[in-house]
Structure formats: structure tokens, C-alpha cells
Amino acid sequence: MSDETVTHRLSTDGADLLTLAGVNDANLIQLSRMTGTKVSLRGDALTLSGTAASVERATAVAQRMLDAARQLLPLGPDDIVRLGEDGGTDGNGNGTGPSDETRIVLPGVRRIIQPKTPGQAAYLNLITENDIVVGIGPAGTGKTYLAVAMAVEALARKRVRRIVLARPAVEAGESLGFLPGDLQAKVDPYLRPLYDALDDMMPPERIMKALETRVIEIAPLAYMRGRTLADAFVILDESQNATSAQMKMFLTRLGVNSKAVITGDKTQIDLPSREQSGLIEIERILKGIDGIGFHYLTDADVIRHRLVRDIIRAYARDAGTD
């Protein structure tokens, strides 16, 4: 009797069907593949057919897909995988859907950015509650992307007057000197990920105007020396490649009514010696200071292609056998 085929229908009323189905029905195909059910979308109903156990699992994931589609939130095959893996809860039975506190509404681009994992939600809450937040985790966990989104929202709501985005220009096995162009052209490749994040969150004309008027500044970390950054949302990206002296210099730039987010990945230190990393040092020195928060993202928070999570885990296993 356990193999008997059952059918369950869910109403799609109020849901954006293109968001729900995905490009070329990719979301429905992924739901079918991971649950072993037959999935069809017809009219105002999403139909799931299969064994009782598979339909029960598919129904739980499909319901969360419908919730996202009703809110016009981004939804792709990798999101479907995450919905199936974490069950939509934080492990204590609490839902992980976006709350008013963690959803970021960006004006001008008609876009809502929300945490896709409990770890990301906790990260955003920590940024809201503290003046300095250190976000540590592997590639693809949204450390920088979410920080830039918070900065853009703070600027749009006039909580700050400018955004400052900085990165150390450290040579990761390649030489800056051999890159073509002047100094700015040489360092731009290091800053490109910050430009890419902004491109997702602001109309191009607004970005250009903000850069021209220095409302938004993107610069190598070395350019911060001697400055006081007041009324600003400041982000230091790839901080594992900032030396101890550079990290202290950066932290002491913070002025009145400013917030700083420091992001880094301790597995990708490109400095000659791991001990030179300012990120490693502040873990020891700054913990316990009121107003400074540390948050650790893991491979469970990876939101890039699903294989990125598997790659990170494979490298971690290999490092453990050395």
C-alpha cells in the first residue's frame, strides 16, 4: 500500500506562475527530481503525484515555493534544493521565511533582497544591532552581497550620507605590475565584485551619479589612511588579506553615526604568512566588546551554484587529511 500513487493539488492563487515554474519550468523539474513526484502546473493548481511519502515531502517544499512566488521573491532551482534540505526551519521548528526585519526593500530597482538561510538572517540582524560586524565564512555565502544591500538601504533611507567600500589589493599569485593601464586600471579588477553587487541594487544612472559625487566610494584599503569616515556605511571586503596594521588603521577610521561591516574568508588568505592577517588578529582582540558582533557563516549558507557547497566541503575534507 505504501507504493500506491496519491495526488495532491495546491492552489496557485496569487502566485506569479513564471516565478513559481522558473525558466523552462526549471523549478518544477527540480522539485520533481528531488522528491520523486510527478509535478504539473495547470491553470490555478499545482498538482503533485507519487507515493504518499514523496508527495508529503513535495507538498512542504511546494508550499514554500508558492509563498515565494506570491511575494515575487527570486526563485531558482538552487533555491528549491535549499528549501528541501533545510525544511524551511531553523532546526527548532521555526520558519525561516523573511520577516520585516530581514527583508531589504531597495527603491528604484523594484527588488526585495532577503536572507535565504537562517545563518544569513542572523547575519543581517547582527548588522542591524551593532556598529561593527565581522562576517566570516566561505565563498558564496552572501557575506559581501548582503552587506552592500544593507548599505544601499541605509543610504536610501538617509540613515547615512555615503557608502565606502574597500578591499585590500593583494596579489593572489599574480602581479599587479603586469596589468595594463594606470594605477586605477590596475586595482579595478580587485574592486569589480563590489561594482557587481551595486549593479544588482541600483539603477546604472544612480550608481554613476553617486560615484561622481563620491556619495559612493570604492577604493583600495590603502586609500583609507588618514581619513575619518562619519555618517557612512563602510564595508571592508576580503579582510583576510588586510595586514594587522591595515586592519587597525581601518577600524580607527570610523566616525560619528557610522557603521562598518568586515567580511572575510579565513581559508583564502593570500598574505605571505597566515599570522599577518588582521582578520585572524581581531578575532582574538575584539571579541567581547559591546557593539562589535562576530558572525560565522558556513557551507550551509552557500547560495551560489549547488556545486559550490560541495566543492567547499571537499576542500575542507582534504585539509583535514593533511
Side-chain angles (χ1 to χ4, degrees):
M1 293 296 292
S2 61
D3 293 331
E4 182 181 349
T5 297
V6 299
T7 299
H8 185 65
R9 291 180 177 83
L10 294 171
S11 172
T12 61
D13 185 42
D16 180 80
L17 298 186
L18 179 58
T19 299
L20 178 65
V23 178
N24 296 325
D25 291 339
N27 294 345
L28 303 183
I29 292 170
Q30 182 63 52
L31 176 62
S32 176
R33 181 184 297 128
M34 61 188 270
T35 61
T37 56
K38 180 181 178 181
V39 181
S40 62
L41 181 59
R42 296 286 184 275
D44 61 353
L46 180 66
T47 303
L48 310 170
S49 300
T51 64
S54 64
V55 169
E56 181 180 3
R57 183 186 178 208
T59 298
V61 178
Q63 189 59 65
R64 291 189 287 276
M65 291 169 62
L66 285 163
D67 291 342
R70 289 186 176 109
Q71 298 176 66
L72 295 178
L73 299 173
L75 194 64
D78 288 342
D79 297 310
I80 311 306
V81 173
R82 277 190 295 275
L83 289 175
E85 287 181 345
D86 64 25
T89 70
D90 62 6
N92 298 313
N94 300 316
T96 60
S99 66
D100 290 339
E101 290 76 19
T102 56
R103 291 175 61 188
I104 303 170
V105 182
L106 300 177
V109 290
R110 297 181 180 179
R111 183 160 186 198
I112 296 174
I113 293 176
Q114 64 157 351
K116 294 188 175 183
T117 68
Q120 289 187 343
Y123 178 51
L124 290 184
N125 286 331
L126 204 65
I127 293 174
T128 300
E129 296 165 0
N130 293 270
D131 287 337
I132 297 177
V133 169
V134 182
I136 300 172
T141 52
K143 303 182 300 293
T144 303
Y145 191 85
L146 291 173
V148 172
M150 292 287 280
V152 171
E153 183 191 41
L155 183 66
R157 296 182 183 277
K158 302 188 184 304
R159 294 174 184 150
V160 296
R161 293 192 302 170
R162 57 180 170 160
I163 297 172
V164 179
L165 308 174
R167 252 190 171 205
V170 174
E171 300 172 1
E174 299 173 2
S175 176
L176 274 171
F178 288 98
L179 292 173
D182 58 14
L183 177 61
Q184 191 61 46
K186 290 178 187 293
V187 299
D188 267 354
Y190 288 87
L191 307 176
R192 176 48 52 189
L194 299 173
Y195 286 105
D196 290 343
L198 281 177
D199 286 341
D200 267 2
M201 300 172 194
M202 296 175 68
E205 61 276 8
R206 283 186 58 199
I207 295 175
M208 290 300 298
K209 183 178 180 181
L211 289 171
E212 289 170 0
T213 58
R214 301 184 74 79
V215 170
I216 296 179
E217 181 180 355
I218 305 177
L221 176 59
Y223 287 17
M224 300 295 105
R225 189 172 298 280
R227 302 177 58 187
T228 299
L229 303 174
D231 290 312
F233 197 117
V234 191
I235 298 173
L236 174 59
D237 190 31
E238 298 288 345
S239 67
Q240 74 274 3
N241 290 326
T243 65
S244 297
Q246 287 176 327
M247 182 66 78
K248 181 179 179 182
M249 177 271 291
F250 173 81
L251 289 167
T252 54
R253 299 308 95 201
L254 209 61
V256 176
N257 190 41
S258 288
K259 186 182 288 284
V261 178
I262 299 164
T263 68
D265 179 355
K266 293 190 291 183
T267 68
Q268 297 193 34
I269 296 174
D270 298 316
L271 296 168
S273 168
R274 179 181 176 86
E275 286 68 33
Q276 293 178 338
S277 173
L279 179 62
I280 301 295
E281 185 177 65
I282 63 172
E283 271 193 291
R284 183 184 78 254
I285 294 176
L286 300 185
K287 275 192 173 177
I289 296 179
D290 187 40
I292 300 179
F294 283 80
H295 185 71
Y296 295 86
L297 294 151
T298 70
D299 53 47
D301 299 302
V302 171
I303 57 170
R304 290 180 184 166
H305 192 286
R306 62 179 180 80
L307 287 176
V308 173
R309 186 185 308 186
D310 295 335
I311 290 168
I312 290 169
R313 289 173 177 170
Y315 270 94
R317 285 195 301 270
D318 185 68
T321 60
D322 289 346

